Amino acid sequence: MYELELNELRRIGRKRNATAKLTTGEVGELRHDGLYVIHDHAYISGEFGEVKLRKSYKDAYPLIKTIKQGRALIAERRHGKLMTTYKYNQSQSR
């Protein structure tokens, strides 16, 4: 198990089906160009709607608490560092 870096987050985002839970309680979708966080209470053209706002990985990295790919927990924050789990290491060996 090792600490995830920004390049690893981009690579995970390219595979899709990956989400990150932030320390603020929000859940975002990892994509190749950043973390997309959904905001439900946006008011656009007189109507309420759902908006996805992009945060760069550089800005989002300190806020990420856990990362899941599908149902598997692949990374979590331990002692202030975003560390991989057994499931992440197992998926990389294939």
Side-chain angles (χ1 to χ4, degrees):
M1 292 184 240
Y2 61 92
E3 185 176 4
L4 277 181
E5 297 178 357
L6 294 178
N7 286 335
E8 291 285 323
L9 290 177
R10 288 184 188 97
R11 193 171 57 70
I12 292 168
R14 283 188 194 104
K15 292 183 180 181
R16 296 288 184 155
N17 199 23
T19 58
K21 186 170 185 179
L22 305 179
T23 56
T24 59
E26 299 172 313
V27 176
E29 178 184 346
L30 277 82
R31 294 190 186 172
H32 70 283
D33 61 341
L35 179 71
Y36 285 79
V37 180
I38 297 172
H39 292 279
D40 293 334
H41 305 294
Y43 190 70
I44 303 168
S45 300
E47 295 183 22
F48 285 101
E50 184 178 279
V51 176
K52 288 185 181 180
L53 297 177
R54 185 179 73 84
K55 291 186 181 195
S56 69
Y57 283 127
K58 180 183 171 191
D59 296 335
Y61 185 82
L63 301 175
I64 296 174
K65 190 174 182 181
T66 60
I67 298 176
K68 284 187 174 183
Q69 194 160 26
R71 291 180 153 188
L73 179 67
I74 60 170
E76 63 185 344
R77 192 158 298 274
R78 294 186 202 147
H79 308 291
K81 296 181 180 181
L82 192 58
M83 304 295 289
T84 61
T85 63
Y86 173 74
K87 291 284 187 181
Y88 178 79
N89 296 333
Q90 190 178 29
S91 69
Q92 297 303 308
S93 63
R94 291 183 198 169

Coordinates of all heavy atoms in Angstrom, one line a residue:
M1 N 0.8 -1.2 0.0 CA 0.0 0.0 0.0 C 0.9 1.2 0.0 O 1.9 1.3 0.7 CB -0.9 0.0 1.2 CG -2.0 -1.1 1.1 SD -3.1 -1.0 2.5 CE -2.8 -2.6 3.2
Y2 N 0.5 2.2 -0.8 CA 1.3 3.4 -0.9 C 0.4 4.6 -1.1 O -0.8 4.5 -1.3 CB 2.3 3.3 -2.1 CG 1.6 3.1 -3.4 CD1 1.3 4.2 -4.2 CD2 1.3 1.9 -3.9 CE1 0.7 4.1 -5.4 CE2 0.8 1.7 -5.1 CZ 0.5 2.8 -5.9 OH -0.1 2.6 -7.1
E3 N 1.0 5.8 -1.0 CA 0.2 7.0 -1.1 C -0.1 7.4 -2.6 O 0.7 7.2 -3.4 CB 1.0 8.2 -0.5 CG 0.2 9.5 -0.5 CD 1.0 10.6 0.2 OE1 2.2 10.4 0.6 OE2 0.4 11.7 0.4
L4 N -1.4 7.7 -2.8 CA -1.8 8.1 -4.2 C -1.3 9.5 -4.5 O -1.3 10.4 -3.7 CB -3.3 8.1 -4.3 CG -4.0 6.8 -4.5 CD1 -5.5 7.0 -4.6 CD2 -3.5 6.2 -5.8
E5 N -0.9 9.7 -5.7 CA -0.4 11.0 -6.2 C -1.4 11.5 -7.2 O -2.4 10.8 -7.6 CB 0.9 10.8 -6.9 CG 2.0 10.4 -5.9 CD 3.4 10.2 -6.6 OE1 3.5 10.3 -7.8 OE2 4.3 9.9 -5.8
L6 N -1.3 12.7 -7.7 CA -2.2 13.4 -8.6 C -2.3 12.6 -9.9 O -3.4 12.5 -10.5 CB -1.8 14.8 -8.8 CG -1.9 15.8 -7.6 CD1 -1.4 17.2 -8.0 CD2 -3.3 15.8 -7.1
N7 N -1.2 12.1 -10.4 CA -1.2 11.4 -11.7 C -2.1 10.1 -11.5 O -2.7 9.7 -12.5 CB 0.2 11.0 -12.1 CG 0.9 12.2 -12.7 OD1 0.2 13.2 -13.1 ND2 2.2 12.2 -12.6
E8 N -2.0 9.5 -10.4 CA -2.8 8.3 -10.1 C -4.3 8.6 -10.2 O -5.1 7.8 -10.7 CB -2.4 7.6 -8.8 CG -1.1 7.0 -8.8 CD -1.0 5.7 -9.5 OE1 -2.0 4.9 -9.5 OE2 0.0 5.5 -10.2
L9 N -4.7 9.7 -9.6 CA -6.1 10.2 -9.6 C -6.6 10.4 -11.0 O -7.7 10.0 -11.4 CB -6.3 11.5 -8.8 CG -6.1 11.4 -7.3 CD1 -6.3 12.7 -6.7 CD2 -7.1 10.4 -6.7
R10 N -5.7 11.0 -11.9 CA -6.1 11.2 -13.3 C -6.3 9.8 -14.0 O -7.2 9.6 -14.8 CB -5.1 12.0 -14.0 CG -5.1 13.4 -13.6 CD -4.1 14.3 -14.4 NE -4.0 15.6 -13.8 CZ -3.0 16.0 -13.0 NH1 -2.1 15.1 -12.6 NH2 -3.0 17.2 -12.5
R11 N -5.4 8.9 -13.7 CA -5.5 7.6 -14.3 C -6.8 6.8 -13.9 O -7.5 6.2 -14.7 CB -4.3 6.7 -14.0 CG -4.2 5.5 -14.9 CD -2.8 4.8 -14.7 NE -2.5 4.5 -13.3 CZ -3.1 3.5 -12.6 NH1 -4.1 2.8 -13.2 NH2 -2.8 3.2 -11.4
I12 N -7.1 6.9 -12.6 CA -8.3 6.3 -12.1 C -9.6 7.0 -12.7 O -10.5 6.3 -13.1 CB -8.4 6.5 -10.5 CG1 -7.3 5.6 -9.9 CG2 -9.8 6.1 -10.0 CD1 -7.1 5.9 -8.4
G13 N -9.5 8.3 -12.9 CA -10.6 9.0 -13.5 C -10.8 8.6 -15.0 O -12.0 8.7 -15.5
R14 N -9.8 8.2 -15.7 CA -10.0 7.8 -17.1 C -10.8 6.5 -17.2 O -11.4 6.2 -18.2 CB -8.6 7.6 -17.7 CG -7.9 8.9 -18.1 CD -6.7 8.6 -18.9 NE -5.9 9.9 -19.0 CZ -4.8 10.1 -18.3 NH1 -4.3 9.2 -17.5 NH2 -4.2 11.3 -18.4
K15 N -10.7 5.7 -16.1 CA -11.4 4.4 -16.2 C -12.9 4.5 -15.9 O -13.6 3.6 -16.2 CB -10.8 3.4 -15.1 CG -9.4 3.0 -15.4 CD -8.9 2.0 -14.3 CE -7.5 1.6 -14.6 NZ -7.1 0.6 -13.6
R16 N -13.3 5.6 -15.4 CA -14.7 5.9 -15.1 C -15.1 5.0 -13.9 O -14.4 4.3 -13.3 CB -15.6 5.6 -16.2 CG -15.4 6.6 -17.4 CD -15.9 7.9 -17.1 NE -15.8 8.8 -18.2 CZ -16.5 9.8 -18.4 NH1 -17.4 10.1 -17.5 NH2 -16.4 10.6 -19.4
N17 N -16.4 5.2 -13.5 CA -17.0 4.5 -12.4 C -16.3 4.7 -11.1 O -16.3 3.8 -10.2 CB -17.1 3.0 -12.7 CG -18.1 2.3 -11.9 OD1 -19.0 2.9 -11.3 ND2 -18.0 1.0 -11.7
A18 N -15.6 5.8 -10.9 CA -14.9 6.1 -9.6 C -15.5 7.3 -9.0 O -15.8 8.3 -9.7 CB -13.4 6.3 -9.9
T19 N -15.7 7.2 -7.7 CA -16.3 8.4 -6.9 C -15.4 8.6 -5.7 O -14.7 7.7 -5.2 CB -17.7 8.1 -6.5 OG1 -17.7 6.9 -5.7 CG2 -18.7 7.9 -7.6
A20 N -15.4 9.9 -5.3 CA -14.7 10.3 -4.1 C -15.6 11.0 -3.1 O -16.4 11.8 -3.5 CB -13.5 11.2 -4.5
K21 N -15.5 10.6 -1.8 CA -16.2 11.3 -0.8 C -15.3 12.3 -0.2 O -14.1 12.0 0.2 CB -16.7 10.3 0.3 CG -17.6 10.9 1.3 CD -18.2 9.9 2.2 CE -19.2 10.5 3.1 NZ -19.8 9.6 4.0
L22 N -15.8 13.5 0.0 CA -14.9 14.6 0.5 C -15.2 14.8 2.0 O -16.2 14.3 2.5 CB -15.3 15.9 -0.2 CG -15.1 15.8 -1.8 CD1 -15.5 17.2 -2.4 CD2 -13.7 15.4 -2.2
T23 N -14.3 15.5 2.6 CA -14.4 15.7 4.1 C -15.6 16.6 4.4 O -16.1 16.6 5.5 CB -13.1 16.4 4.6 OG1 -12.9 17.6 3.8 CG2 -11.9 15.5 4.5
T24 N -16.1 17.3 3.3 CA -17.3 18.2 3.5 C -18.6 17.4 3.5 O -19.7 17.9 3.7 CB -17.4 19.2 2.4 OG1 -17.4 18.6 1.1 CG2 -16.2 20.2 2.5
G25 N -18.5 16.0 3.1 CA -19.7 15.2 3.0 C -20.2 15.0 1.6 O -21.1 14.2 1.3
E26 N -19.7 15.8 0.7 CA -20.1 15.8 -0.7 C -19.5 14.6 -1.4 O -18.4 14.1 -1.0 CB -19.7 17.0 -1.5 CG -20.3 18.3 -0.9 CD -19.7 19.5 -1.5 OE1 -18.5 19.6 -1.7 OE2 -20.5 20.4 -1.9
V27 N -20.1 14.1 -2.4 CA -19.6 13.0 -3.2 C -19.3 13.5 -4.6 O -20.2 14.2 -5.2 CB -20.5 11.8 -3.3 CG1 -20.0 10.7 -4.2 CG2 -20.8 11.3 -1.9
G28 N -18.2 13.2 -5.2 CA -17.8 13.7 -6.5 C -17.4 12.5 -7.4 O -17.0 11.5 -6.9
E29 N -17.5 12.8 -8.7 CA -17.1 11.8 -9.7 C -15.7 12.1 -10.3 O -15.5 13.3 -10.7 CB -18.1 11.8 -10.8 CG -17.9 10.9 -12.0 CD -18.9 11.0 -13.1 OE1 -19.9 11.7 -12.9 OE2 -18.6 10.5 -14.2
L30 N -14.8 11.1 -10.2 CA -13.5 11.3 -10.8 C -13.5 11.2 -12.3 O -14.1 10.2 -12.8 CB -12.5 10.3 -10.2 CG -11.9 10.7 -8.8 CD1 -12.9 10.3 -7.7 CD2 -10.6 10.0 -8.7
R31 N -13.0 12.2 -13.0 CA -12.8 12.1 -14.4 C -11.4 12.5 -14.8 O -10.6 12.8 -13.9 CB -13.8 13.1 -15.1 CG -15.2 12.7 -14.9 CD -16.1 13.6 -15.8 NE -17.5 13.4 -15.6 CZ -18.5 14.1 -16.1 NH1 -18.2 15.1 -16.9 NH2 -19.7 13.8 -15.8
H32 N -11.0 12.4 -16.0 CA -9.7 12.6 -16.4 C -9.2 14.0 -16.2 O -8.0 14.2 -15.9 CB -9.4 12.2 -17.9 CG -10.1 13.2 -18.8 ND1 -11.5 13.1 -19.1 CD2 -9.6 14.2 -19.6 CE1 -11.7 14.1 -19.9 NE2 -10.6 14.7 -20.3
D33 N -10.1 15.0 -16.2 CA -9.7 16.4 -16.0 C -10.0 17.0 -14.7 O -9.7 18.2 -14.5 CB -10.3 17.2 -17.1 CG -11.8 17.2 -17.1 OD1 -12.4 16.3 -16.5 OD2 -12.4 18.1 -17.7
G34 N -10.6 16.2 -13.8 CA -10.8 16.8 -12.4 C -11.9 16.0 -11.7 O -12.4 15.0 -12.2
L35 N -12.3 16.5 -10.6 CA -13.3 16.0 -9.7 C -14.6 16.8 -9.9 O -14.6 18.0 -9.7 CB -12.9 16.0 -8.2 CG -13.9 15.4 -7.2 CD1 -13.9 13.9 -7.4 CD2 -13.4 15.8 -5.8
Y36 N -15.7 16.1 -10.3 CA -16.9 16.8 -10.5 C -17.9 16.6 -9.3 O -18.2 15.4 -9.1 CB -17.6 16.3 -11.8 CG -16.9 16.8 -13.0 CD1 -15.7 16.3 -13.5 CD2 -17.4 17.9 -13.7 CE1 -15.1 16.8 -14.6 CE2 -16.8 18.4 -14.8 CZ -15.6 17.9 -15.3 OH -15.0 18.4 -16.4
V37 N -18.2 17.7 -8.7 CA -19.1 17.6 -7.5 C -20.5 18.1 -7.9 O -20.6 19.2 -8.5 CB -18.5 18.5 -6.4 CG1 -19.4 18.4 -5.1 CG2 -17.1 18.0 -6.0
I38 N -21.5 17.3 -7.5 CA -22.9 17.7 -7.9 C -23.5 18.6 -6.8 O -23.4 18.4 -5.6 CB -23.8 16.4 -8.0 CG1 -23.2 15.5 -9.1 CG2 -25.2 16.8 -8.2 CD1 -23.9 14.2 -9.2
H39 N -24.1 19.7 -7.3 CA -24.8 20.6 -6.4 C -26.3 20.6 -6.9 O -26.6 20.9 -8.0 CB -24.3 22.0 -6.5 CG -22.9 22.1 -6.0 ND1 -22.7 22.3 -4.6 CD2 -21.7 22.1 -6.5 CE1 -21.4 22.3 -4.4 NE2 -20.8 22.2 -5.5
D40 N -27.2 20.2 -5.9 CA -28.6 20.1 -6.3 C -29.4 21.4 -6.2 O -30.4 21.5 -6.9 CB -29.3 19.1 -5.2 CG -28.8 17.7 -5.4 OD1 -28.3 17.3 -6.5 OD2 -28.8 17.0 -4.4
H41 N -28.9 22.4 -5.6 CA -29.7 23.6 -5.3 C -29.3 24.7 -6.2 O -29.2 25.9 -5.7 CB -29.6 23.9 -3.8 CG -30.0 22.8 -2.9 ND1 -31.3 22.3 -2.9 CD2 -29.3 22.1 -2.1 CE1 -31.4 21.3 -2.0 NE2 -30.2 21.2 -1.5
A42 N -29.0 24.5 -7.5 CA -28.7 25.6 -8.4 C -29.9 26.2 -9.0 O -30.9 25.5 -9.3 CB -27.8 25.0 -9.5
Y43 N -29.9 27.5 -9.1 CA -31.1 28.2 -9.6 C -30.7 28.7 -11.0 O -29.9 29.7 -11.1 CB -31.5 29.3 -8.7 CG -32.8 30.0 -9.0 CD1 -34.0 29.3 -8.8 CD2 -32.8 31.3 -9.5 CE1 -35.2 29.9 -9.1 CE2 -34.0 31.9 -9.8 CZ -35.2 31.2 -9.6 OH -36.4 31.8 -9.9
I44 N -31.2 28.2 -12.1 CA -30.8 28.5 -13.4 C -32.1 28.9 -14.2 O -33.0 28.1 -14.3 CB -30.1 27.4 -14.1 CG1 -28.9 27.0 -13.3 CG2 -29.7 27.8 -15.5 CD1 -28.2 25.7 -13.7
S45 N -32.1 30.0 -14.8 CA -33.2 30.5 -15.6 C -34.6 30.3 -15.0 O -35.5 29.9 -15.6 CB -33.2 29.8 -17.0 OG -32.0 30.0 -17.7
G46 N -34.6 30.6 -13.7 CA -35.9 30.6 -13.0 C -36.3 29.2 -12.5 O -37.4 29.0 -12.0
E47 N -35.4 28.2 -12.7 CA -35.8 26.8 -12.2 C -34.6 26.3 -11.4 O -33.4 26.6 -11.6 CB -36.0 25.9 -13.4 CG -37.2 26.3 -14.3 CD -37.4 25.3 -15.4 OE1 -36.9 24.2 -15.3 OE2 -38.1 25.7 -16.4
F48 N -35.0 25.4 -10.5 CA -33.9 24.7 -9.7 C -33.4 23.5 -10.5 O -34.2 22.8 -11.2 CB -34.5 24.2 -8.3 CG -34.6 25.4 -7.4 CD1 -35.9 25.9 -7.1 CD2 -33.5 25.8 -6.7 CE1 -36.0 26.9 -6.2 CE2 -33.7 26.9 -5.8 CZ -34.9 27.4 -5.5
G49 N -32.2 23.3 -10.4 CA -31.6 22.2 -11.2 C -30.3 21.6 -10.5 O -29.9 22.1 -9.5
E50 N -29.8 20.6 -11.2 CA -28.6 20.0 -10.7 C -27.4 20.4 -11.6 O -27.5 20.4 -12.8 CB -28.8 18.5 -10.8 CG -27.6 17.7 -10.3 CD -27.9 16.2 -10.4 OE1 -28.6 15.7 -9.5 OE2 -27.4 15.6 -11.4
V51 N -26.3 20.9 -10.9 CA -25.2 21.3 -11.6 C -23.9 20.6 -11.1 O -23.8 20.4 -9.9 CB -25.0 22.9 -11.4 CG1 -23.7 23.4 -12.0 CG2 -26.1 23.6 -11.9
K52 N -23.0 20.2 -12.1 CA -21.8 19.6 -11.7 C -20.7 20.6 -11.8 O -20.5 21.2 -12.9 CB -21.5 18.4 -12.6 CG -22.3 17.2 -12.3 CD -21.9 16.1 -13.2 CE -22.8 14.9 -13.0 NZ -22.4 13.7 -13.8
L53 N -20.0 20.9 -10.7 CA -18.9 21.8 -10.7 C -17.6 21.1 -10.7 O -17.4 20.1 -9.9 CB -19.0 22.8 -9.5 CG -20.2 23.7 -9.5 CD1 -20.2 24.5 -8.2 CD2 -20.2 24.6 -10.7
R54 N -16.6 21.5 -11.5 CA -15.3 20.8 -11.6 C -14.3 21.4 -10.6 O -14.2 22.7 -10.6 CB -14.8 20.8 -13.0 CG -13.5 20.0 -13.1 CD -12.9 20.1 -14.5 NE -12.4 21.4 -14.8 CZ -11.1 21.7 -14.5 NH1 -10.3 20.9 -13.9 NH2 -10.7 22.9 -14.9
K55 N -13.7 20.6 -9.9 CA -12.5 21.0 -9.0 C -11.3 20.3 -9.6 O -11.3 19.2 -9.9 CB -12.7 20.6 -7.6 CG -13.8 21.3 -6.8 CD -13.9 20.9 -5.4 CE -15.0 21.5 -4.7 NZ -14.9 21.5 -3.3
S56 N -10.2 21.1 -9.7 CA -9.0 20.5 -10.1 C -8.5 19.5 -9.1 O -8.8 19.6 -7.9 CB -7.9 21.5 -10.4 OG -7.5 22.1 -9.2
Y57 N -7.8 18.5 -9.5 CA -7.2 17.5 -8.6 C -6.3 18.1 -7.5 O -6.3 17.7 -6.4 CB -6.5 16.4 -9.3 CG -7.4 15.4 -10.0 CD1 -7.3 15.1 -11.3 CD2 -8.4 14.8 -9.2 CE1 -8.2 14.1 -11.9 CE2 -9.3 13.9 -9.8 CZ -9.2 13.6 -11.1 OH -10.0 12.7 -11.7
K58 N -5.6 19.2 -7.9 CA -4.7 19.9 -7.0 C -5.5 20.5 -5.9 O -5.1 20.4 -4.7 CB -4.0 20.9 -7.8 CG -3.0 21.7 -6.9 CD -2.3 22.8 -7.7 CE -1.6 23.7 -6.8 NZ -1.1 24.9 -7.5
D59 N -6.7 21.1 -6.2 CA -7.5 21.7 -5.1 C -8.3 20.6 -4.3 O -8.5 20.8 -3.1 CB -8.4 22.7 -5.7 CG -7.7 23.9 -6.4 OD1 -6.6 24.2 -5.9 OD2 -8.3 24.5 -7.3
A60 N -8.7 19.6 -5.0 CA -9.6 18.6 -4.4 C -8.8 17.6 -3.5 O -9.3 17.0 -2.6 CB -10.4 17.8 -5.4
Y61 N -7.5 17.3 -3.8 CA -6.7 16.3 -3.2 C -6.8 16.4 -1.7 O -7.0 15.3 -1.0 CB -5.3 16.3 -3.7 CG -4.4 15.2 -3.2 CD1 -4.5 13.9 -3.8 CD2 -3.6 15.4 -2.1 CE1 -3.7 12.9 -3.3 CE2 -2.8 14.3 -1.6 CZ -2.9 13.1 -2.2 OH -2.1 12.1 -1.7
P62 N -6.6 17.5 -1.0 CA -6.6 17.6 0.4 C -8.0 17.3 1.0 O -8.1 17.0 2.2 CB -6.1 19.0 0.8 CG -5.9 19.7 -0.5 CD -6.2 18.8 -1.6
L63 N -9.0 17.4 0.2 CA -10.4 17.3 0.7 C -10.9 15.8 0.6 O -11.9 15.5 1.1 CB -11.3 18.2 -0.1 CG -11.1 19.7 0.0 CD1 -12.0 20.4 -0.9 CD2 -11.2 20.2 1.5
I64 N -10.2 15.0 -0.2 CA -10.7 13.6 -0.5 C -10.5 12.8 0.8 O -9.4 12.7 1.3 CB -9.9 13.0 -1.7 CG1 -10.3 13.8 -3.0 CG2 -10.3 11.5 -1.9 CD1 -9.5 13.4 -4.2
K65 N -11.6 12.1 1.2 CA -11.6 11.2 2.3 C -11.5 9.8 1.9 O -10.6 9.0 2.4 CB -12.9 11.4 3.1 CG -12.9 10.8 4.4 CD -14.2 11.2 5.1 CE -14.3 10.7 6.5 NZ -15.6 11.0 7.1
T66 N -12.3 9.4 0.9 CA -12.2 8.0 0.4 C -12.5 8.0 -1.1 O -13.1 8.9 -1.6 CB -13.3 7.1 1.0 OG1 -14.6 7.6 0.8 CG2 -13.1 6.9 2.5
I67 N -12.0 6.9 -1.8 CA -12.2 6.8 -3.2 C -12.8 5.4 -3.4 O -12.2 4.4 -2.9 CB -11.0 7.0 -4.0 CG1 -10.5 8.4 -3.9 CG2 -11.2 6.7 -5.5 CD1 -9.1 8.7 -4.6
K68 N -13.8 5.3 -4.2 CA -14.4 4.0 -4.5 C -14.4 3.8 -6.0 O -14.7 4.8 -6.8 CB -15.8 3.8 -4.0 CG -15.9 3.5 -2.5 CD -17.4 3.2 -2.2 CE -17.5 2.8 -0.7 NZ -18.9 2.5 -0.4
Q69 N -14.2 2.6 -6.5 CA -14.3 2.3 -7.9 C -15.4 1.2 -8.0 O -15.1 0.1 -7.5 CB -13.0 1.8 -8.5 CG -13.1 1.8 -10.0 CD -11.7 1.9 -10.6 OE1 -10.7 1.4 -10.0 NE2 -11.6 2.4 -11.8
G70 N -16.6 1.5 -8.4 CA -17.7 0.6 -8.3 C -18.1 0.5 -6.9 O -18.3 1.5 -6.2
R71 N -18.1 -0.7 -6.3 CA -18.3 -0.9 -4.9 C -17.1 -1.1 -4.1 O -17.1 -1.1 -2.8 CB -19.2 -2.2 -4.7 CG -20.6 -2.0 -5.2 CD -21.3 -3.3 -5.0 NE -22.7 -3.1 -4.9 CZ -23.6 -4.0 -4.5 NH1 -23.2 -5.2 -4.3 NH2 -24.9 -3.7 -4.4
A72 N -15.9 -1.2 -4.7 CA -14.7 -1.5 -4.0 C -14.0 -0.2 -3.5 O -13.8 0.8 -4.3 CB -13.7 -2.2 -4.9
L73 N -13.7 -0.2 -2.2 CA -12.9 0.9 -1.7 C -11.5 0.8 -2.1 O -10.8 -0.2 -1.7 CB -13.0 0.9 -0.1 CG -12.3 2.0 0.6 CD1 -12.9 3.4 0.3 CD2 -12.3 1.7 2.1
I74 N -11.0 1.7 -2.9 CA -9.6 1.6 -3.4 C -8.6 2.5 -2.7 O -7.4 2.3 -2.8 CB -9.5 1.8 -4.9 CG1 -10.0 3.1 -5.3 CG2 -10.3 0.6 -5.6 CD1 -9.8 3.4 -6.8
A75 N -9.1 3.6 -2.0 CA -8.2 4.4 -1.3 C -8.9 5.1 -0.1 O -10.1 5.4 -0.2 CB -7.6 5.5 -2.2
E76 N -8.2 5.4 0.9 CA -8.8 6.1 2.1 C -7.7 7.0 2.7 O -6.5 6.6 2.6 CB -9.4 5.2 3.1 CG -8.5 4.2 3.7 CD -9.2 3.2 4.6 OE1 -10.3 3.4 5.0 OE2 -8.5 2.2 4.9
R77 N -8.1 8.0 3.4 CA -7.1 8.9 4.1 C -6.8 8.3 5.4 O -7.6 8.0 6.3 CB -7.7 10.3 4.3 CG -6.7 11.3 4.7 CD -7.0 12.7 4.3 NE -7.2 13.0 3.0 CZ -6.3 13.3 2.1 NH1 -5.0 13.3 2.5 NH2 -6.5 13.6 0.8
R78 N -5.5 8.1 5.6 CA -4.9 7.6 6.9 C -3.8 8.4 7.4 O -2.9 8.7 6.6 CB -4.4 6.1 6.7 CG -5.5 5.1 6.4 CD -4.9 3.7 6.4 NE -5.7 2.9 5.6 CZ -5.2 1.9 4.9 NH1 -4.0 1.6 4.8 NH2 -6.1 1.1 4.2
H79 N -3.9 8.9 8.6 CA -2.9 9.8 9.1 C -2.5 11.0 8.2 O -1.3 11.3 8.0 CB -1.6 9.0 9.5 CG -1.9 7.8 10.3 ND1 -2.3 7.9 11.6 CD2 -1.8 6.5 10.0 CE1 -2.4 6.7 12.1 NE2 -2.2 5.8 11.1
G80 N -3.5 11.5 7.6 CA -3.3 12.7 6.7 C -2.9 12.4 5.3 O -2.7 13.3 4.5
K81 N -2.7 11.1 4.9 CA -2.2 10.7 3.6 C -3.3 9.9 2.9 O -4.0 9.1 3.6 CB -0.9 9.9 3.7 CG 0.2 10.7 4.2 CD 1.5 9.9 4.3 CE 2.6 10.7 4.8 NZ 3.9 9.9 4.8
L82 N -3.5 10.0 1.6 CA -4.4 9.3 0.8 C -3.7 8.0 0.4 O -2.9 8.0 -0.5 CB -4.9 10.1 -0.4 CG -6.1 9.5 -1.1 CD1 -7.3 9.4 -0.2 CD2 -6.4 10.5 -2.3
M83 N -4.1 6.9 1.1 CA -3.4 5.6 0.9 C -4.2 4.6 0.1 O -5.5 4.6 0.3 CB -3.0 5.0 2.3 CG -2.2 5.9 3.2 SD -0.5 6.3 2.5 CE 0.2 4.7 2.7
T84 N -3.6 3.8 -0.7 CA -4.3 2.8 -1.4 C -4.7 1.6 -0.5 O -4.1 1.5 0.6 CB -3.5 2.2 -2.6 OG1 -2.3 1.6 -2.0 CG2 -3.1 3.3 -3.6
T85 N -5.7 0.8 -0.9 CA -6.1 -0.3 -0.1 C -5.7 -1.6 -0.9 O -5.2 -1.5 -2.0 CB -7.6 -0.3 0.1 OG1 -8.3 -0.4 -1.1 CG2 -8.1 0.9 0.9
Y86 N -6.0 -2.7 -0.3 CA -5.7 -4.0 -0.9 C -6.4 -4.1 -2.2 O -5.9 -4.7 -3.2 CB -6.1 -5.1 0.1 CG -6.0 -6.5 -0.5 CD1 -4.8 -7.1 -0.7 CD2 -7.1 -7.2 -0.9 CE1 -4.7 -8.3 -1.3 CE2 -7.0 -8.4 -1.4 CZ -5.8 -9.0 -1.6 OH -5.7 -10.3 -2.2
K87 N -7.7 -3.7 -2.3 CA -8.5 -3.8 -3.5 C -7.8 -3.0 -4.7 O -7.8 -3.5 -5.8 CB -9.9 -3.2 -3.3 CG -10.7 -4.1 -2.5 CD -11.2 -5.3 -3.2 CE -12.2 -6.1 -2.4 NZ -12.6 -7.3 -3.0
Y88 N -7.2 -1.9 -4.4 CA -6.5 -1.1 -5.5 C -5.3 -1.9 -6.0 O -5.1 -2.0 -7.2 CB -6.1 0.2 -5.0 CG -5.4 1.0 -6.0 CD1 -6.0 1.7 -7.0 CD2 -4.0 1.1 -6.0 CE1 -5.4 2.4 -8.0 CE2 -3.3 1.9 -7.0 CZ -4.0 2.5 -7.9 OH -3.3 3.2 -8.9
N89 N -4.5 -2.4 -5.1 CA -3.3 -3.1 -5.4 C -3.7 -4.4 -6.2 O -3.0 -4.8 -7.1 CB -2.5 -3.5 -4.2 CG -2.0 -2.2 -3.5 OD1 -1.8 -1.2 -4.2 ND2 -1.8 -2.3 -2.2
Q90 N -4.8 -5.0 -5.8 CA -5.2 -6.2 -6.5 C -5.7 -5.9 -7.9 O -5.4 -6.7 -8.8 CB -6.4 -6.9 -5.7 CG -6.8 -8.2 -6.1 CD -7.9 -8.7 -5.2 OE1 -8.7 -8.0 -4.7 NE2 -8.0 -10.0 -5.1
S91 N -6.4 -4.8 -8.1 CA -6.8 -4.5 -9.5 C -5.7 -4.1 -10.4 O -5.8 -4.2 -11.6 CB -7.9 -3.3 -9.4 OG -7.2 -2.1 -9.0
Q92 N -4.6 -3.6 -9.9 CA -3.5 -3.2 -10.7 C -2.6 -4.4 -11.1 O -1.9 -4.3 -12.1 CB -2.6 -2.2 -9.9 CG -3.2 -0.9 -9.5 CD -3.8 -0.2 -10.7 OE1 -3.1 0.0 -11.7 NE2 -5.0 0.1 -10.7
S93 N -2.7 -5.5 -10.4 CA -1.9 -6.6 -10.8 C -2.5 -7.4 -12.0 O -1.8 -8.3 -12.5 CB -1.7 -7.6 -9.6 OG -3.0 -8.1 -9.2
R94 N -3.7 -7.1 -12.4 CA -4.3 -7.9 -13.5 C -3.7 -7.5 -14.8 O -3.3 -6.6 -15.2 CB -5.8 -7.7 -13.5 CG -6.5 -8.3 -12.4 CD -8.0 -8.1 -12.5 NE -8.6 -8.3 -11.2 CZ -9.8 -8.0 -11.0 NH1 -10.6 -7.5 -11.9 NH2 -10.4 -8.2 -9.8

